[in-house]
Amino acid sequence: MNSPPHDQPLLLVVEDNPTNLALVRAVLTRAGFKILEAQTAEEARQLLATVRPDMIVMDIQLPGIDGLTFTRQPKADPATATSPIVALTAHAMQEDRQRALDAGCVGYIAKPINTRTFADELTRLLRG
Ligand code: MN
């Protein structure tokens, strides 16, 4: 496994499913990331008012504001404009990947996540 790009990058994980969130938390903390968690886009926005994570890992299917709608919003908002967003999508269909990129995501990772490669994929995306 590659090391994260700098000491303990801070990720904001937005995921409404507690089981998925627990799995992501376990994998990422073990890999040396610091994580903040939100279960909705609204919660994420509140956190982003005061914290600037290195990256946002965002489930697309959320109650309320969905992940892609959220991704389109913050670009006009200086408070959140600089954190790149990676989409977590249950749909591995090409059109869903394209929708994520069109919305402004820097990448996408299909769920269920591969616990052996997930942290490395995020590290690669963090390095741009
Ligand atoms: Mn969901």
Side-chain angles (χ1 to χ4, degrees):
M1 184 181 291
N2 296 327
S3 299
H6 57 84
D7 281 352
Q8 294 204 306
L10 179 63
L11 304 182
L12 170 59
V13 179
V14 190
E15 168 63 81
D16 63 305
N17 181 297
T19 305
N20 291 341
L21 181 57
L23 179 62
V24 168
R25 178 196 304 129
V27 170
L28 294 183
T29 53
R30 186 163 176 266
F33 292 95
K34 286 191 295 184
I35 63 170
L36 293 168
E37 302 175 9
Q39 296 196 344
T40 63
E42 290 86 346
E43 250 184 81
R45 270 193 85 76
Q46 289 174 10
L47 285 170
L48 290 167
T50 55
V51 179
R52 182 67 50 84
D54 295 296
M55 185 168 277
I56 303 169
V57 180
M58 184 151 220
D59 181 29
I60 291 308
Q61 293 184 298
L62 295 166
I65 300 169
D66 69 87
L68 293 186
T69 299
F70 178 88
T71 300
R72 291 186 196 101
Q73 286 179 340
K75 285 188 286 296
D77 182 348
T80 56
T82 60
S83 292
I85 300 177
V86 176
L88 284 182
T89 174
H91 312 288
M93 304 292 290
Q94 186 61 36
E95 63 194 63
D96 292 311
R97 297 174 178 182
Q98 193 58 49
R99 284 176 61 227
L101 299 178
D102 288 348
C105 295
V106 296
Y108 53 83
I109 294 176
K111 293 196 296 185
I113 64 166
N114 182 332
T115 58
R116 290 161 63 178
T117 60
F118 185 61
D120 283 347
E121 288 180 71
L122 290 180
T123 296
R124 182 169 45 78
L125 289 166
L126 272 169
R127 288 186 170 129

